[in-house]
C-alpha cells in the first residue's frame, strides 16, 4: 500500500491506495480542491512523492 500524508501546514489529509499512480491522482485532486493548485507540475508531484508518500 502507498500512503500519502499531506505536508501542507494545517492540512492533515491522508490517502492510501494500492497503486501509486492512483494515489498520485488522488493527491492531484486534493491539491486542486484543498490548496487551489490548478496545475500540479511534474516537479511538484515528484517532490510530494518523495516527501509525503510512504509504502507499507
Ligand atoms: Zn492538503
Amino acid at each position: 500500500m502507498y500512503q500519502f500524508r499531506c505536508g501542507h501546514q494545517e492540512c492533515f489529509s491522508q490517502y492510501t491506495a494500492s497503486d501509486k499512480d492512483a494515489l498520485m491522482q488522488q493527491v492531484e485532486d486534493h491539491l486542486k480542491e484543498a490548496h487551489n493548485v490548478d496545475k500540479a507540475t511534474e516537479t511538484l508531484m515528484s517532490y510530494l512523492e518523495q516527501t509525503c508518500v510512504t509504502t507499507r
Side-chain angles (χ1 to χ4, degrees):
M1 291 292 282
Y2 291 88
Q3 181 177 52
F4 171 81
R5 272 189 219 202
C6 188
H8 200 277
Q9 216 177 0
E10 293 178 11
C11 178
F12 301 101
S13 296
Q14 289 186 25
Y15 301 101
T16 52
S18 54
D19 178 69
K20 194 173 74 181
D21 289 339
L23 180 66
M24 295 320 282
Q25 186 58 56
Q26 285 186 308
V27 172
E28 209 176 313
D29 292 342
H30 170 70
L31 292 177
K32 278 182 203 164
E33 285 165 24
H35 303 300
N36 298 311
V37 178
D38 286 333
K39 254 200 170 174
T41 61
E42 210 169 295
T43 310
L44 177 62
M45 293 313 284
S46 66
Y47 170 76
L48 290 174
E49 195 180 315
Q50 284 167 30
T51 54
C52 302
V53 175
T54 52
T55 54
R56 57 173 171 168

